[in-house]
């Protein structure tokens, strides 16, 4: 059904399409007499059963240890049938993750379920201050949707009290430490 027309453009509205209507579409314009010049352009169109949803993060935890290899999966919310599959990408703090930290997966139990897992060494997050923003981005044609997770690693605090050693007696070390604390409070 035609919804708009002017000298530069004609807009059509296609409703109640089946998934099988996905494919290459061609628009052809023919000039009037005397030239009858023809111009054409093609573009793919994907018809989905449901509106596109943000991806789902699988296996994420609230906090990790610095010695762990952090593993998180990302997959479309619903399985997408047909040959038009969205692409998935991982980003950390807005930068695309290197390929050695990601790996694709698919589920043999549920047809059409595929994903991209992220594998980040906990030390990487600890060295960045203990937390990083992870983003999984799903792209299908011009559409992009994202899911976010803040990855947190338990950061160990260095205790100077535990590491204090004195050549004198244990009591001398505690008195000196107590003196440092009092000076810090008075200043």
């Amino acid at each position: 059904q035609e919804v708009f027309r002017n000298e530069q453009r004609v807009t059509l509205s296609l409703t109640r399409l089946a998934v099988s209507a996905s494919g290459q579409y061609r628009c052809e314009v023919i000039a009037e007499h005397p030239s009858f010049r023809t111009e054409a352009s093609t573009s793919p169109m994907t018809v989905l059963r449901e509106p596109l949803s943000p991806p789902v993060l699988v296996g994420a935890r609230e906090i990790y240890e610095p010695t762990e290899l952090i593993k998180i999966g990302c997959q479309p919310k619903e399985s997408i049938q047909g040959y038009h599959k969205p692409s998935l990408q991982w980003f950390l703090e807005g930068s695309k993750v290197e390929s050695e930290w990601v790996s694709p997966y698919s589920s043999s139990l549920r047809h059409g379920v595929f994903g991209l897992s992220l594998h980040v060494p906990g030390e990487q997050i600890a060295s960045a201050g203990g937390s990083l923003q992870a983003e999984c981005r799903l792209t299908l044609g011009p559409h992009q949707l994202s899911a976010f997770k803040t990855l947190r690693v338990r950061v160990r605090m260095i205790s100077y009290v535990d590491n204090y050693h004195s050549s004198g007696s244990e009591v001398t070390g505690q008195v000196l430490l107590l003196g440092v604390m009092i000076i810090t409070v008075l200043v």
Side-chain angles (χ1 to χ4, degrees):
Q1 172 184 7
E2 186 177 311
V3 289
F4 176 78
R5 177 191 292 254
N6 66 16
E7 289 182 11
Q8 281 89 26
R9 177 156 93 186
V10 175
T11 302
L12 301 176
S13 174
L14 305 173
T15 57
R16 293 196 270 286
L17 294 175
V19 173
S20 60
S22 296
Q24 285 288 109
Y25 280 75
R26 177 181 166 100
C27 177
E28 190 172 278
V29 178
I30 303 170
E32 292 180 358
H33 178 69
S35 74
F36 294 108
R37 193 176 108 216
T38 303
E39 299 235 354
S41 180
T42 60
S43 184
M45 181 176 76
T46 302
V47 179
L48 301 173
R49 285 187 213 291
E50 302 289 328
L52 198 58
S53 299
V56 176
L57 301 181
V58 182
R61 295 195 338 242
E62 287 305 309
I63 194 152
Y64 298 88
E65 296 299 325
T67 55
E68 283 185 85
L69 179 63
I70 298 166
K71 297 177 184 177
I72 301 174
C74 176
Q75 60 194 43
K77 186 175 180 180
E78 55 276 323
S79 65
I80 296 176
Q81 305 298 325
Y83 50 94
H84 298 289
K85 292 209 187 312
S87 65
L88 297 169
Q89 292 177 307
W90 277 104
F91 295 83
L92 285 174
E93 294 296 323
S95 297
K96 190 168 187 260
V97 173
E98 296 130 28
S99 60
E100 67 263 17
W101 286 2
V102 297
S103 60
Y105 66 87
S106 62
S107 172
S108 58
L109 299 173
R110 291 177 52 210
H111 181 69
V113 174
F114 69 96
L116 187 65
S117 60
L118 173 69
H119 306 271
V120 180
E123 299 92 28
Q124 197 73 23
I125 295 172
S127 67
S131 71
L132 284 176
Q133 179 81 344
E135 172 192 0
C136 179
R137 188 178 299 165
L138 179 142
T139 304
L140 183 62
H143 306 286
Q144 289 187 339
L145 297 166
S146 295
F148 297 89
K149 175 69 179 165
T150 300
L151 303 178
R152 290 187 173 82
V153 169
R154 196 179 316 277
V155 179
R156 304 267 188 257
M157 298 308 247
I158 299 171
S159 171
Y160 292 105
V161 175
D162 292 344
N163 295 333
Y164 180 74
H165 296 289
S166 164
S167 58
S169 70
E170 185 90 19
V171 174
T172 307
Q174 289 176 353
V175 170
L176 286 174
L177 185 60
L178 184 57
V180 171
M181 289 177 161
I182 291 171
I183 291 170
T184 305
V185 170
L186 293 176
V187 175

